Amino acid sequence: MHYPMYMIWSDIDQSYIVTVPDLPGCMADGRTADEAVKNIQVVIEEWIAIAKEENRDIPEPSKGLEIVSKG
């Protein structure tokens, strides 16, 4: 599955922060935009694996942009 992501630059954290609105609580960061995207891909896989283990519904990806903002 390919979920839309939202990315912002955090001056406070000095890193990019990525969230996946379709998956509550699914977020990651990275010092570069590429690193943040790689990290969120791991978190998405983990989010889905845990949801399956707990027999929770896994939302279908909504339609949207891959990265809305890079800061």
Side-chain angles (χ1 to χ4, degrees):
M1 291 186 200
H2 196 67
Y3 289 92
M5 303 172 193
Y6 178 73
M7 179 184 291
I8 61 167
W9 171 255
S10 171
D11 285 330
I12 294 170
D13 299 314
Q14 291 295 294
S15 63
Y16 289 92
I17 299 176
V18 183
T19 60
V20 180
D22 293 332
L23 305 176
C26 188
M27 59 184 349
D29 65 354
R31 292 188 148 221
T32 66
D34 287 340
E35 181 181 322
V37 170
K38 286 178 187 173
N39 291 342
I40 197 66
Q41 290 169 340
V42 171
V43 174
I44 290 169
E45 290 175 14
E46 292 171 352
W47 194 103
I48 291 171
I50 291 168
K52 286 179 180 178
E53 287 175 12
E54 296 179 353
N55 203 27
R56 289 189 285 146
D57 291 335
I58 300 170
E60 290 293 320
S62 62
K63 295 189 183 341
L65 297 175
E66 175 65 18
I67 298 175
V68 176
S69 171
K70 287 172 70 171

